[in-house]
Amino acid sequence: MKRINMKVAILAAFIGVALTGCSGDDGANGKDGEPGKPGQPSIPVATDAKVLNIEMGKISVGTQSDITFTVTNEKALPVVGLEKFGFILSGLEEGSEGDASNWSLLSSEACPANKYSVCGTLIDNQDGSYKYSFVKDVTAEAAFDITDEKTLRLVLRTGGEAVGSTEISYANTHYDFRAQGEEALYSKNVVNNQNCAGCHDDFAIHGGKYTQVETCVSCHTDNKMSEANKVFPMLAHEVHIGVISAPVGGCDNCHSENEQATDFANWREVPTAETCVTCHTEVDFKEGINHWPYADNSQCANCHTPDVIESLHLGTYQGQNERRKNLHLTVTDAKMISQPQAEENQGKEGSFVQITIDILDKNGVSRNEQLDKVNYLYYAEFYINWGDHDQGLGFGEGVADGRGKVLRVHTNKGPYEGYSEKPIVVDYKNGKTTYEIGPFSMQDKFKGDVTDLYGTISPRIWFCMDAAGESIMDCDGETDWSNGAAGYNWLEFFNTEGLMEERPRRQIVTNELCGACHGTTTSADGFVQMTLNCRNCHSKAGDSEFHGTTCVSGNLDSNEQILLKDLMPRGERDWTTASNAGEECMACHNANVVPTQVIRDAHTKQGDKDYVEQLTMSHPDQKVWIHAMHANNRANQSGEGWRRNVEYSADLANCAKCHVGDSFDAKYLVGRKPLALDLDYMDTYTDPTNPVNGRYAVDGVADAYVSPTAAVCLSCHGKRAAEEGEDRKQVRAEVVAHMKQNGAQFGVTLDEYTGEESCTVCHNLNNLKESHNLK
């Protein structure tokens, strides 16, 4: 933008005045000149911008509504010449007689005009200030009567056009006020972008034009929407309930407190039939079906008090938090020993883990009970494995024993040989029970001797209580276990000397990061755990024999096939448990563990042209299946109508959404163990009590391998969109070819495996950040 030289301008004016005082004939008049161009502003203005900052001026609402505002860039320079704006005016009717406060749309206008919106009068003052005059007489809106006391909201949309060489992204700014421009007396800020950011990245809908929840509630109003389920409270419930990864009924997943969500507690303080029925679809309040008839919302809060609502929705969830305090199984010692002490283990080759466990009450005092002799535990299982599990660059994943061993002191699993063994007690003293489990192999085929590494232990417990959740009681197999609680999980590290005081493994994910979407539970002392809902992944099994052998996640069809492709995840709060960001899963979910027959049969078949690649993306290794599941790339996902499909709510390229710091750096995959596959297996199920011939969950024998970096990258980048007529996404052959050109190997034998991937030569940390838009 050209700047005027003020000295020159003043001098020209002075000369003009001086010339008018000269005498003499000035000759004939000349012809009229052409109209001059509009003057340029006499102040510095922005020639470029990364963001647009809005400062509101005067707002006048009435038969003629006008607003003034100023736009500056990130350097506080005025931005002129903007042509694209959106303007929404809404009013908030304060609730009474039990009704919730309710937004009404007064006018939605935009410049330039389009088929959805008219454009009023937009004036650019060429100094960064603008004036907009609405077309609509908002006082004529029958749904809302404007008074001096009522809350009004103005939403101003900017962006969608270039300033200099930069295309400005859409952004919304909202202002709550009263008709005379005074501060609003009441609000309805139930949720906002901060609540949504746990699962979503940048919140943007309708082509990216609307970027604030405050905009959504201003426009999705009952006087605007023709269908009730499109009004925002109902719409938000409908698109989330039963879909989100956190348990259903956990209203606090979204309705959490922050400084902008001033009315976050409305869900429990203002119960209305309109919002309740969006979840409780079996209820007809008007007809009195599953609830006595009601005339209006005025009586709802008489019975449904805030405490009652919270208890009914979060009772099991929060109750488990309270009930968890009643019992804690503490590992007081653990170590790897080279020779067994238990008589039952004599003569077995390998090393053994000894674990000492104390049962503590809610005050942290030992109950002085032998763990395997108590009757109030529905299950008490300890997942154990040995190896460095990822010590960083060059160390590799040294889990030596494949599928982790599980010390099942109490269990609800079937008594399958090699799967659920009787616990071996080597000592009981002063309330502490010591168990011995093994053998563990101290020789790894890729790493050699792993004696100097470390192991991990993580518990999974559930204890029984009375219906009031006040007293621990013996499990009778009926309702007592459902009245109980899942104990908090923790992760302990140990070596040949005992428990390790410091964590030897780098932190890759955290409970807070995972729990931002899945939900969290927090103990009284501030211990945060991610909330997992068992039924989100594991549908109730139709055949307990097969279900008891592994995480089948499905039902039997005529006892022939585990159907993972047709499941409906459930989300009741009483099926919640706690997890340390899934870290404990790595005891079993590691590169050594081949996909079981359940996975092979239900995910992909021998003879498929992309069999090895599909099997790789469906591998149980934690670092692969987590990526593939969120990317909807496992072989039992992405089919039309399949219930296992995952619609990830954030940007898959945003590694920082889940990873701590730069833990996604590909250098951490260098030297790690390849993923084991079992390509030769039997096609049919036989007697599940015969694991050798039955070929069920513990049948895997590795006969092929896949390079680790290729497997992890393929888990996200391995599929292309389905073509017409296809029922699933197909493996991208060009991606596999690129990986093979750079040393990756798929489905090779142990003798053929070289481990010579060169991915990090190009795909270093800076490259990954750039390609994933993380800079």
Side-chain angles (χ1 to χ4, degrees):
M1 191 76 57
K2 184 179 179 181
R3 295 176 59 184
I4 296 175
N5 189 313
M6 295 302 294
K7 291 183 179 180
V8 174
I10 293 171
L11 179 60
F14 177 79
I15 294 173
V17 171
L19 289 175
T20 60
C22 296
S23 60
D25 187 1
D26 62 356
N29 291 334
K31 294 181 179 179
D32 292 337
E34 296 294 328
K37 295 181 179 179
Q40 298 297 315
S42 60
I43 58 173
V45 296
T47 58
D48 207 344
K50 295 180 180 178
V51 295
L52 300 179
N53 299 311
I54 308 297
E55 181 180 349
M56 287 305 303
K58 183 179 180 180
I59 304 176
S60 174
V61 176
T63 55
Q64 176 57 56
S65 300
D66 304 298
I67 63 172
T68 61
F69 56 95
T70 300
V71 186
T72 57
N73 71 356
E74 66 280 1
K75 297 179 181 178
L77 290 174
V79 180
V80 303
L82 296 176
E83 298 178 345
K84 293 187 177 181
F85 293 98
F87 307 94
I88 298 174
L89 268 175
S90 299
L92 182 63
E93 192 75 57
E94 188 172 17
S96 61
E97 299 296 323
D99 291 335
S101 297
N102 184 50
W103 287 102
S104 294
L105 178 65
L106 303 181
S107 185
S108 176
E109 303 178 10
C111 296
N114 56 58
K115 64 179 181 179
Y116 303 107
S117 301
V118 297
C119 175
T121 303
L122 177 65
I123 298 174
D124 178 359
N125 295 315
Q126 293 293 303
D127 59 358
S129 67
Y130 296 79
K131 179 180 179 180
Y132 180 75
S133 298
F134 280 80
V135 174
K136 184 177 178 180
D137 173 5
V138 296
T139 64
E141 174 56 55
F144 188 83
D145 182 23
I146 298 174
T147 69
D148 291 344
E149 302 302 308
K150 292 183 179 179
T151 296
L152 301 174
R153 171 171 290 174
L154 169 69
V155 176
L156 179 57
R157 190 197 76 224
T158 57
E161 60 183 310
V163 177
S165 60
T166 304
E167 187 74 20
I168 302 297
S169 299
Y170 288 110
N172 300 165
T173 308
H174 73 280
Y175 305 89
D176 289 353
F177 60 99
R178 284 184 280 160
Q180 300 303 314
E182 298 172 305
E183 183 178 350
L185 297 175
Y186 59 92
S187 63
K188 190 182 180 182
N189 297 310
V190 177
V191 293
N192 59 19
N193 286 28
Q194 187 174 336
N195 300 107
C196 303
C199 289
H200 302 278
D201 285 327
D202 294 335
F203 183 80
I205 56 175
H206 293 299
K209 292 182 177 181
Y210 303 120
T211 60
Q212 282 189 341
V213 177
E214 290 86 352
T215 306
C216 303
V217 301
S218 302
C219 200
H220 280 265
T221 60
D222 58 7
N223 72 315
K224 166 73 172 178
M225 299 293 119
S226 58
E227 300 176 37
N229 64 347
K230 296 298 188 294
V231 177
F232 188 76
M234 283 64 83
L235 173 66
H237 284 179
E238 186 171 284
V239 299
H240 287 90
I241 298 302
V243 177
I244 60 175
S245 55
V248 171
C251 307
D252 57 342
N253 294 327
C254 300
H255 296 278
S256 56
E257 184 176 7
N258 62 61
E259 58 185 13
Q260 285 82 39
T262 53
D263 306 289
F264 78 98
N266 270 28
W267 68 274
R268 64 173 183 259
E269 294 178 349
V270 189
T272 65
E274 293 79 15
T275 51
C276 293
V277 77
T278 59
C279 293
H280 300 282
T281 55
E282 76 284 1
V283 175
D284 188 322
F285 293 98
K286 294 294 185 183
E287 298 298 327
I289 300 174
N290 294 318
H291 191 285
W292 50 80
Y294 89 108
D296 52 44
N297 292 317
S298 60
Q299 303 300 314
C300 297
N302 291 344
C303 297
H304 300 283
T305 64
D307 288 343
V308 168
I309 293 174
E310 182 165 333
S311 175
L312 289 174
H313 287 82
L314 305 182
T316 303
Y317 170 55
Q318 293 182 338
Q320 282 192 22
N321 279 347
E322 291 299 316
R323 296 172 191 189
R324 285 186 180 114
K325 299 176 183 178
N326 287 279
L327 194 72
H328 189 66
L329 300 191
T330 299
V331 175
T332 62
D333 196 13
K335 60 183 177 181
M336 180 70 76
I337 60 175
S338 58
Q339 297 294 327
Q341 294 182 8
E343 181 178 349
E344 297 92 326
N345 289 328
Q346 296 299 319
K348 297 180 181 179
E349 294 185 3
S351 296
F352 293 78
V353 172
Q354 285 191 352
I355 308 170
T356 302
I357 302 161
D358 197 359
I359 311 174
L360 306 181
D361 64 16
K362 60 184 177 182
N363 297 314
V365 178
S366 175
R367 291 173 60 102
N368 288 311
E369 296 172 311
Q370 186 168 327
L371 179 58
D372 53 289
K373 292 186 177 181
V374 302
N375 296 316
Y376 49 75
L377 283 159
Y378 183 61
Y379 54 72
E381 304 173 345
F382 297 82
Y383 292 78
I384 312 157
N385 214 329
W386 181 263
D388 62 9
H389 300 265
D390 177 7
Q391 187 69 1
L393 179 62
F395 284 85
E397 184 179 30
V399 178
D401 205 59
R403 179 181 293 274
K405 297 187 184 302
V406 185
L407 173 64
R408 291 188 165 92
V409 182
H410 299 272
T411 184
N412 59 339
K413 304 288 185 182
Y416 299 111
E417 183 181 351
Y419 187 78
S420 180
E421 304 288 359
K422 182 179 178 181
I424 297 173
V425 178
V426 295
D427 190 30
Y428 172 71
K429 186 183 301 182
N430 298 325
K432 298 180 177 63
T433 314
T434 300
Y435 298 91
E436 187 174 274
I437 186 170
F440 289 78
S441 173
M442 292 291 103
Q443 291 294 317
D444 182 87
K445 66 179 64 175
F446 293 95
K447 196 177 177 94
D449 186 9
V450 295
T451 305
D452 293 334
L453 298 180
Y454 61 84
T456 58
I457 300 175
S458 182
R460 177 174 175 263
I461 70 171
W462 191 290
F463 53 91
C464 298
M465 300 192 73
D466 59 14
E470 297 176 351
S471 302
I472 294 174
M473 63 181 293
D474 288 349
C475 302
D476 61 18
E478 298 297 329
T479 61
D480 48 12
W481 71 269
S482 61
N483 294 330
Y488 280 110
N489 293 350
W490 67 94
L491 189 64
E492 300 281 5
F493 298 90
F494 66 95
N495 55 23
T496 56
E497 301 296 322
L499 289 177
M500 304 176 71
E501 293 184 2
E502 295 184 3
R503 175 189 176 93
R505 184 178 190 272
R506 66 191 175 98
Q507 191 79 48
I508 299 174
V509 293
T510 66
N511 292 334
E512 288 82 359
L513 284 170
C514 296
C517 196
H518 290 279
T520 59
T521 61
T522 305
S523 65
D525 58 358
F527 180 45
V528 177
Q529 290 222 297
M530 175 178 62
T531 300
L532 290 179
N533 188 301
C534 308
R535 292 299 180 233
N536 273 3
C537 292
H538 304 299
S539 187
K540 189 175 182 180
D543 190 307
S544 61
E545 287 187 333
F546 282 101
H547 186 75
T549 64
T550 187
C551 298
V552 169
S553 306
N555 301 307
L556 291 177
D557 181 12
S558 303
N559 293 329
E560 293 179 358
Q561 183 58 271
I562 303 291
L563 295 179
L564 289 170
K565 297 177 181 178
D566 189 30
L567 295 181
M568 178 59 74
R570 292 167 30 180
E572 288 86 343
R573 273 275 173 174
D574 61 333
W575 280 94
T576 59
T577 185
S579 171
N580 269 313
E583 284 195 285
E584 63 269 24
C585 304
M586 286 180 291
C588 292
H589 286 267
N590 57 66
N592 294 304
V593 182
V594 303
T596 65
Q597 181 166 333
V598 169
I599 293 175
R600 290 187 297 256
D601 280 357
H603 290 217
T604 184
K605 296 284 191 180
Q606 278 184 309
D608 289 349
K609 65 178 182 179
D610 53 8
Y611 171 60
V612 173
E613 291 82 4
Q614 294 276 15
L615 202 58
T616 298
M617 284 181 279
S618 302
H619 200 283
D621 185 24
Q622 184 83 346
K623 63 183 177 292
V624 172
W625 88 264
I626 284 290
H627 287 113
M629 182 270 295
H630 284 89
N632 209 39
N633 274 345
R634 287 166 69 83
N636 73 319
Q637 292 179 305
S638 73
E640 184 178 352
W642 289 3
R643 298 176 182 175
R644 304 302 295 169
N645 295 346
V646 171
E647 299 297 332
Y648 186 58
S649 54
D651 182 1
L652 280 168
N654 184 8
C655 307
K657 191 75 175 175
C658 304
H659 281 268
V660 173
D662 294 338
S663 62
F664 58 87
D665 192 339
K667 74 178 183 182
Y668 294 117
L669 296 172
V670 174
R672 294 186 73 168
K673 295 176 66 173
L675 276 64
L677 302 178
D678 181 4
L679 303 183
D680 179 21
Y681 70 96
M682 301 171 66
D683 285 326
T684 57
Y685 289 104
T686 56
D687 183 0
T689 62
N690 186 340
V692 176
N693 295 320
R695 308 284 286 182
Y696 62 112
V698 293
D699 72 331
V701 178
D703 57 22
Y705 297 88
V706 176
S707 303
T709 309
V712 173
C713 295
L714 195 71
S715 63
C716 277
H717 296 282
K719 294 290 187 73
R720 61 172 174 80
E723 295 179 355
E724 186 176 355
E726 292 179 339
D727 193 36
R728 67 179 183 184
K729 293 188 292 185
Q730 303 299 298
V731 174
R732 297 171 63 189
E734 71 279 9
V735 171
V736 176
H738 170 76
M739 292 176 172
K740 289 181 177 179
Q741 288 171 354
N742 290 277
Q745 295 174 283
F746 290 86
V748 299
T749 65
L750 179 61
D751 292 336
E752 295 171 326
Y753 184 72
T754 63
E756 295 178 354
E757 291 179 294
S758 59
C759 309
T760 55
V761 173
C762 295
H763 299 296
N764 56 29
L765 181 60
N766 287 335
N767 172 265
L768 289 174
K769 287 184 175 181
E770 183 177 353
S771 59
H772 288 81
N773 299 315
L774 297 177
K775 284 191 174 182

